[in-house]
């Protein structure tokens, strides 16, 4: 019996040393597996701690408040799911959710369509020296405080504001309105502000996506005789699928959670014509002393946003697959 074994390179290795090396390799492998499992959680942990401290715990408290009848000061009474039933039965709260759906058209639908058209136009004019200036101007509404934006548009929508002055200048004085004070135009007027605000975001996303499309794809369809529209639907639109999904997610969420714009411009009025779920939650909690009902509205709104976000993500995932 030999006392030495031979290693792969022909050198003799002591049996005890070989066992030690195998044990070392096994420990190293286990350590590597452990790090590969734990590392992702460690990366996520700081964000999760911040979420739990500043949002998660408050969300749990809100869900707890929604089960009680409480005016915010005195004793509370457990009422189970009654606040949720009232959320779906109260006509004003139901109207606020319908208004949010209407705003989705202005906050998400129109900005995405207009931004796609502008993307096609701007991408064909990329050699213009002032193109970066135009991009900055179009993105400007995204970086301005929403309170400032609301204040500007309140001035523009006023009876003597910029919009009515333009109409009078073109002898269309019969169309002038106090746009935010009219039942028929107030919600649309707020929606237009949302369109103006979100269009720059969509445009920046789509322009970045167009910049990543391989030029050979465009050359191929041009050689096949495709016109500009066929080129758009065959190459540009499919390649922007991911950016469109992100834009829809962000803009739809902004439509449902809008509050500051309504608070500054109309405070839900005239009547109840511009109330939205976030405004109803605020109004019920701090003006009418219905903290439990306000919490139920907030929870329903949160669940609705999560479902919509998940649905948009699933559509993109199916298309990608």
């Amino acid at each position: 019996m030999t006392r030495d074994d031979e290693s792969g390179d022909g050198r003799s290795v002591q049996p005890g040393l070989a066992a030690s090396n195998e044990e070392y390799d096994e420990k190293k492998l286990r350590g590597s597996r452990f790090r590969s499992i734990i590392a992702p959680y460690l990366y996520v942990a700081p964000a999760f701690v911040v979420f739990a401290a500043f949002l998660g715990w408050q969300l749990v408290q809100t869900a707890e408040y929604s089960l009680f009848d409480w005016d915010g000061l005195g004793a509370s009474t457990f009422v189970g799911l009654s606040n949720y039933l009232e959320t779906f039965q109260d006509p004003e709260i139901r109207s606020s959710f319908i208004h949010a759906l209407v705003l989705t058209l202005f906050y998400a639908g129109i900005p995405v369509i207009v931004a796609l058209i502008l993307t096609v136009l701007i991408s064909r004019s990329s050699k213009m020296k002032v193109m970066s200036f135009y991009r900055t101007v179009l993105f400007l509404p995204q970086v301005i405080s929403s309170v400032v934006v609301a204040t500007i548009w309140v001035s523009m929508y006023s009876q003597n504001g910029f919009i009515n002055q333009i109409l009078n200048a073109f002898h269309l004085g019969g169309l002038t309105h106090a746009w935010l004070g009219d039942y028929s135009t107030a919600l649309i007027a707020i929606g237009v502000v949302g369109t103006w605000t979100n269009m720059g975001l969509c445009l920046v996303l789509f322009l970045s996506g167009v910049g990543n499309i391989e030029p050979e794809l465009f050359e191929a369809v041009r050689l096949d005789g495709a016109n500009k529209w066929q080129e758009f639907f065959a190459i540009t639109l499919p390649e922007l699928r991911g950016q469109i999904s992100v834009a829809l997610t962000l803009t739809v969420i902004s439509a449902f959670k809008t509050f500051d714009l309504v608070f500054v411009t109309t405070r839900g009025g005239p009547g109840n014509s511009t109330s939205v779920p976030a405004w109803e939650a605020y109004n019920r909690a701090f003006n009418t002393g219905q903290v439990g009902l306000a919490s139920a509205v907030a929870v329903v709104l949160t669940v609705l946003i999560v479902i919509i976000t998940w649905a948009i993500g699933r559509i993109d995932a199916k298309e990608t697959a």
Side-chain angles (χ1 to χ4, degrees):
M1 183 177 68
T2 60
R3 297 184 55 184
D4 297 347
D5 294 333
E6 288 190 354
S7 63
D9 56 2
R11 291 178 301 176
S12 61
V13 179
Q14 294 290 335
L17 181 58
S20 177
N21 288 338
E22 290 177 0
E23 184 178 353
Y24 173 77
D25 291 340
E26 188 176 349
K27 287 182 179 179
K28 188 176 180 181
L29 181 61
R30 284 202 300 268
S32 178
R33 288 176 180 172
F34 180 77
R35 285 193 297 273
S36 65
I37 295 173
I38 294 298
Y41 293 97
L42 294 178
Y43 284 122
V44 174
F48 180 77
V49 170
V50 173
F51 168 82
F54 296 101
L55 186 62
W57 173 242
Q58 288 75 9
L59 186 60
V60 172
Q61 278 191 316
T62 302
E64 180 188 0
Y65 293 156
S66 68
L67 303 177
F68 290 85
D69 180 16
W70 186 39
D71 62 1
L73 297 174
S76 59
T77 304
F78 181 76
V79 294
L81 299 177
S82 296
N83 287 324
Y84 290 96
L85 292 176
E86 189 172 351
T87 297
F88 294 104
Q89 293 172 350
D90 189 305
E92 292 187 358
I93 296 176
R94 284 207 309 268
S95 296
S96 70
F97 280 94
I98 294 173
H99 295 159
L101 287 174
V102 174
L103 289 180
T104 302
L105 172 66
F106 291 93
Y107 276 63
I110 297 176
V112 167
I113 294 173
V114 174
L116 281 173
I117 296 172
L118 289 176
T119 298
V120 174
L121 297 176
I122 291 176
S123 62
R124 295 180 182 282
S125 308
S126 57
K127 294 182 180 179
M128 289 178 60
K129 294 182 179 178
V130 294
M131 188 50 59
S132 59
F133 170 76
Y134 286 124
R135 291 180 182 178
T136 303
V137 170
L138 289 169
F139 190 68
L140 195 59
Q142 276 291 314
V143 299
I144 299 177
S145 166
S146 56
V147 175
V148 175
V149 169
T151 305
I152 292 172
W153 280 89
V154 166
S155 173
M156 292 176 63
Y157 281 139
S158 67
Q159 190 66 49
N160 297 318
F162 177 74
I163 294 176
N164 285 338
Q165 290 179 17
I166 293 293
L167 291 173
N168 286 323
F170 285 94
H171 305 288
L172 298 173
L175 298 179
T176 58
H177 276 74
W179 299 93
L180 292 172
D182 191 307
Y183 283 87
S184 62
T185 59
L187 185 62
I188 296 174
I190 291 176
V192 170
V193 180
T195 300
W196 180 73
T197 304
N198 286 340
M199 194 170 62
L201 171 66
C202 297
L203 183 63
V204 169
L205 287 173
F206 297 161
L207 285 175
S208 65
V210 167
N212 293 327
I213 300 177
E214 296 293 335
E216 291 78 9
L217 294 176
F218 292 108
E219 294 174 4
V221 295
R222 287 168 190 163
L223 290 175
D224 290 338
N227 58 35
K228 302 301 181 186
W229 285 109
Q230 289 172 329
E231 179 182 314
F232 172 75
F233 286 107
I235 302 297
T236 307
L237 193 59
E239 291 296 322
L240 290 179
R241 190 171 52 239
Q243 287 78 11
I244 292 174
S245 174
V246 172
L248 282 175
T249 301
L250 295 176
T251 53
V252 168
I253 290 175
S254 71
F256 275 92
K257 71 181 184 66
T258 186
F259 169 76
D260 40 10
L261 187 58
V262 171
F263 182 84
V264 175
T265 56
T266 63
R267 291 180 177 262
N272 193 43
S273 60
T274 61
S275 69
V276 290
W279 164 257
E280 281 293 332
Y282 170 83
N283 187 45
R284 303 281 176 156
F286 298 104
N287 292 335
T288 63
Q290 297 171 287
V291 176
L293 180 58
S295 300
V297 173
V299 171
V300 171
L301 176 62
T302 302
V303 172
L304 184 60
I305 289 175
V306 170
I307 291 174
I308 291 174
T309 304
W310 174 81
I312 294 175
R314 292 294 299 170
I315 292 172
D316 179 53
K318 288 181 179 178
E319 293 292 335
T320 303

